[in-house]
Amino acid sequence: MTAPTEEETTARAALEERARRLFAGPVTFLKSAPALQFLPDPTVPEIAFSGRSNVGKSSLLNALTGRNSMARTSVTPGRTQELNFFDLGEPIQMRLVDMPGYGFAKAPPSVTEQWRRLVRDFLRGRVVLKRTLLLIDARHGIKAVDQDMMQMLDEAAVGYRVVLTKADKIKASDLAATVAATEAAARKRTAAFPQIHVTSSELKMGIPELRAAILADAAI
């Protein structure tokens, strides 16, 4: 892999700064949508966040926006079965979509099926959805339920980035092994980006780079 040129480094720094300013600006909760008929009008680019319950999705959203409580963590993982929309910028530049967590063991089959229908229909039919971020706990790597989600994203032809969370919670050698295994799994998926984002919401590791990637994906 060749080192970036001076021009590429300068452009990357400029993109990260523009992303930092956007995410540090106004962030407003718009609405929760328990079904497709409640979705907001598709007027601006959207970036969705998906992951297992307790993967650290709320913490990552808060870290990206520099807030402490933009997205609340649920006391009972898997309880929230709605799509939550947040507006960024004033005037609005883009929306972040907090998707309901999956893999919750205590949920009844009817709730699980409701989640699948909502997520599948949203992914397949949302024309302004520019990218999905699939969050994976770095301590555990890709699980069977994550493979199911990757398959759903592949079938919906929605491009997605794999984001490892809680990277500060494991040893560097274990993290390197998880990154390598995740990259290998992503290469086998038709809609997955080959680049893996490694993050820690607590240490702000990888946050500037992920903000820049989101801004580039939104193409604003």
Side-chain angles (χ1 to χ4, degrees), residues 22-36:
L22 174 62
F23 278 82
V27 180
T28 307
F29 171 72
L30 176 63
K31 67 183 303 185
S32 294
L36 295 187

Side-chain angles (χ1 to χ4, degrees), residues 8-180:
E8 289 171 338
T9 301
T10 300
R12 171 57 57 177
L15 182 63
E16 288 185 6
E17 174 58 20
R18 194 158 66 90
R20 185 197 66 77
R21 290 199 304 268
L22 174 62
F23 278 82
V27 180
T28 307
F29 171 72
L30 176 63
K31 67 183 303 185
S32 294
L36 295 187
Q37 62 264 37
F38 299 105
L39 295 179
D41 292 338
T43 55
V44 294
E46 294 174 352
I47 304 291
F49 290 70
S50 178
R52 293 199 310 271
S53 299
N54 207 29
V55 74
K57 184 153 49 71
S58 296
S59 296
L60 183 65
L61 282 163
N62 290 334
L64 287 167
T65 58
R67 270 74 172 176
N68 293 322
S69 59
M70 186 196 97
R72 292 195 202 43
T73 55
S74 175
V75 175
T76 304
R79 174 175 291 174
T80 301
Q81 292 304 293
E82 299 175 333
L83 298 164
N84 296 307
F85 292 81
F86 298 87
D87 290 342
L88 264 66
E90 192 174 306
I92 300 167
Q93 301 295 306
M94 62 183 294
R95 286 195 178 108
L96 305 181
V97 187
D98 184 6
M99 299 175 69
Y102 57 83
F104 33 95
K106 295 182 179 179
S110 60
V111 172
T112 303
E113 181 55 30
Q114 179 184 351
W115 172 88
R116 290 189 65 85
R117 285 200 303 269
L118 175 62
V119 170
R120 182 182 63 243
D121 293 346
F122 172 74
L123 292 174
R124 288 179 175 175
R126 194 65 172 169
V127 295
V128 292
L129 180 61
K130 299 300 184 181
R131 194 76 68 224
T132 295
L133 305 185
L134 178 61
L135 278 53
I136 304 291
D137 192 322
R139 300 170 300 177
H140 308 304
I142 297 175
K143 298 295 187 182
V145 287
D146 300 315
Q147 294 279 10
D148 290 344
M149 188 65 208
M150 295 170 93
Q151 184 64 29
M152 188 182 297
L153 287 162
D154 286 344
E155 291 174 355
V158 174
Y160 59 98
R161 296 179 181 272
V162 179
V163 179
L164 293 177
T165 63
K166 306 183 182 182
D168 59 308
K169 305 299 184 185
I170 61 174
K171 296 187 299 184
S173 57
D174 293 337
L175 178 60
T178 300
V179 171

